[in-house]
Amino acid sequence: MKLKLATFLFISSFVSLQAQTKVTPFHPGQRADGVTYCLPRTQVKAELQAIKTVYTPGEFAAYAERYMHVQNVNPSATTRFEIVKIKLSTVGVPDTTKVFTVKLKDKSIAPMMQLTESGIVQSINRISGSPAENHQEDVLPSTRHQLNSRQYFTEEMLSATSSARMAELVAQEIYDIRESKNEIMRGQVDAMPKDGASLKIVLDRLNQQEQALTQTFVGYTDTTYLSQSYIFEPTKDTDKEILFRFSKKLGFVDADDLAGTPYYISVKDQHTVILPDEKENEKRKIEGIVYNLPSMALISVFDGTRTMISQKLPIAQFGMIDQLAPTLFNKNTTTKVLFDISTGALLDLQQ
C-alpha cells in the first residue's frame, strides 16, 4: 500500500458492537487487509550554528598609529570560524523490525489512522498530529560592514603623490568631521538644523562619513552565519565517537579531514524503561495498536577540553514496545491517540 503524508483510512461504521480491530506483525509478502504502519527508530540530530568572521585591513593600516593614534592595528587579512550555538533534537526513521498491520475482522471497524510520508504512525482518530518531520533551521542574517570610503575623498586626497600623504589628509578630514559634530552638538554653527529630525540626519551623515574614512586605517569586519546538521543513530552506549570536525580557519570540514578538530558524541542509556526478560517477552501477544516506550538517554557533545551540550532525550531503540487495548477502538468508542513520530511514544490519549 502506497503511503502518503496525512494518509487516512476510513472504514464504514455499519458493523456489530462486538467486533474488534486485530493487529498483527507484518510479514513481507503477506497481503495486508488493512493498514500497515511502522514505528520509528530514533536518531539524534545536532544542529550547529557557526560564525565566519573576515577581517580586512584598512588601506592605511600602516599609518594608523602615526596619524590616528590607534595601536595594534592588524595589517593582515584574517578569517576565523567559531561555533556559537548547538541544538539537539530527535528525528524518526522507519524501523523495519517494527512494522505492523491493522487487520480487519468481518464486520469490524478500524480507526482512522494518520501516517507520515515514511509510514510512521502519527495519530488515530484525530486530524492534528505530531510536529512536522522537517523544519526550517533558524539562520541569523549575515552582516557586511565595508563602506565606500573613496566617495568621501577630496580632490587633494586623490591627487596626493604618496600613501603617507594621502593617509595624513584622510586623518585630518576625520578630525575635521569630529570637530564639526562637536560644534553642532554645542550649537556653535551658523546654520543649525531647524528641528530634531534635521539634526539627526546631519549627524548620521557625518557619522557615516567618519566611519567610512576611519575604516581606511582600522579596517572592517564582515560576519557570516553558517548552519550545519549532523545525524547520529544510537544503538548502544557510546563513550566517545566522532560526530564532526571543525576548523577555526576552515569551518566545518569532512569527518576524515585532519585539518579540523574532532567533536565527539557520547550516549548513556538512563534505563528509564524496565525491559522484560526473554520468557516474559515470548508470552506477550500482539492484540492492540503497538507503540514504543522509549528510554531516556543522556546525550553529550564535546571536544577535547569542554562539553558543548549535555541533554536527556528519549530513544526508541533503548526501550520496548507496548500496546493499546483493542477495546479502546470498539464501534462505540472515539478514542483519540497522538504519537511522537520521532520516538513512537504515546503522547496523548483521549476517550
Side-chain angles (χ1 to χ4, degrees):
M1 179 178 62
K2 185 176 181 181
L3 299 174
K4 295 182 179 292
L5 181 64
T7 300
F8 296 102
L9 176 68
F10 295 93
I11 304 298
S12 172
S13 61
F14 297 97
V15 293
S16 64
L17 293 176
Q18 293 78 17
Q20 294 182 357
T21 299
K22 179 181 179 182
V23 180
T24 60
F26 175 74
H27 299 285
Q30 175 181 334
R31 181 175 179 179
D33 186 16
V35 178
T36 297
Y37 70 93
C38 62
L39 297 179
R41 195 171 65 249
T42 304
Q43 295 180 335
V44 176
K45 183 178 183 180
E47 298 174 73
L48 293 107
Q49 195 168 89
I51 183 172
K52 176 184 178 182
T53 305
V54 179
Y55 165 73
T56 302
E59 181 180 356
F60 307 125
Y63 305 101
E65 186 172 359
R66 182 191 302 181
Y67 296 124
M68 296 300 300
H69 308 291
V70 179
Q71 298 178 347
N72 302 320
V73 172
N74 189 352
S76 303
T78 60
T79 300
R80 182 170 55 89
F81 293 83
E82 180 185 4
I83 296 175
V84 294
K85 181 181 179 181
I86 181 170
K87 175 185 176 183
L88 295 179
S89 60
T90 56
V91 295
V93 295
D95 189 339
T96 57
T97 67
K98 296 179 181 178
V99 184
F100 303 91
T101 297
V102 179
K103 216 173 182 185
L104 306 180
K105 291 183 178 181
D106 293 338
K107 298 182 179 180
S108 66
I109 66 168
M112 179 181 72
M113 299 190 70
Q114 183 180 8
L115 309 178
T116 67
E117 286 183 335
S118 56
I120 296 174
V121 62
Q122 188 170 357
S123 65
I124 299 176
N125 289 332
R126 57 189 296 167
I127 300 299
S128 59
S130 304
E133 289 179 292
N134 298 315
H135 64 278
Q136 188 174 0
E137 299 175 0
D138 296 329
V139 180
L140 295 176
S142 300
T143 58
R144 185 166 179 81
H145 295 133
Q146 182 184 18
L147 299 175
N148 182 8
S149 58
R150 288 274 170 171
Q151 67 176 319
Y152 301 114
F153 278 24
T154 64
E155 182 179 355
E156 185 179 7
M157 295 176 195
L158 294 173
S159 60
T161 57
S162 68
S163 296
R165 177 56 180 164
M166 186 179 291
E168 182 182 7
L169 293 172
V170 172
Q172 185 58 54
E173 183 72 9
I174 293 173
Y175 291 131
D176 290 344
I177 293 172
R178 292 176 180 176
E179 182 62 25
S180 296
K181 290 196 299 182
N182 288 333
E183 290 177 352
I184 292 175
M185 296 300 294
R186 295 170 186 156
Q188 296 175 348
V189 294
D190 294 334
M192 279 291 294
K194 296 180 180 180
D195 50 41
S198 300
L199 176 63
K200 183 178 184 304
I201 292 174
V202 172
L203 290 176
D204 285 346
R205 288 176 178 174
L206 290 173
N207 286 331
Q208 185 174 16
Q209 185 176 354
E210 179 187 356
Q211 183 182 355
L213 293 176
T214 302
Q215 282 185 358
T216 63
F217 290 97
V218 300
Y220 61 92
T221 301
D222 289 336
T223 57
T224 303
Y225 289 90
L226 310 172
S227 61
Q228 185 72 32
S229 297
Y230 296 93
I231 295 291
F232 181 81
E233 185 172 310
T235 57
K236 59 182 179 180
D237 281 2
T238 302
D239 289 327
K240 191 177 182 181
E241 188 165 335
I242 294 179
L243 180 63
F244 66 94
R245 287 182 180 270
F246 183 83
S247 168
K248 290 184 178 181
K249 294 182 178 180
L250 303 173
F252 297 104
V253 297
D254 294 337
D256 57 355
D257 189 341
L258 299 183
T261 300
Y263 284 75
Y264 305 95
I265 186 169
S266 70
V267 180
K268 301 294 182 184
D269 185 359
Q270 302 298 288
H271 301 287
T272 55
V273 174
I274 300 177
L275 303 179
D277 56 36
E278 292 185 6
K279 291 184 179 180
E280 183 180 350
N281 201 33
E282 291 176 356
K283 294 179 181 179
R284 301 178 71 193
K285 294 183 179 180
I286 297 177
E287 298 177 340
I289 299 294
V290 183
Y291 65 95
N292 282 331
L293 288 175
S295 178
M296 298 298 293
L298 180 63
I299 313 293
S300 301
V301 177
F302 56 96
D303 61 10
T305 59
R306 63 190 176 98
T307 298
M308 299 180 64
I309 190 171
S310 188
Q311 182 178 340
K312 289 183 179 180
L313 294 173
I315 306 297
Q317 50 270 30
F318 285 174
M320 57 179 285
I321 62 171
D322 204 348
Q323 54 187 314
L324 299 173
T327 54
L328 290 173
F329 304 101
N330 282 340
K331 181 179 181 297
N332 286 343
T333 61
T334 56
T335 303
K336 298 180 180 180
V337 187
L338 178 64
F339 299 99
D340 188 328
I341 59 176
S342 297
T343 65
L346 180 65
L347 295 181
D348 185 49
L349 188 149
Q350 299 178 8
Q351 288 184 281

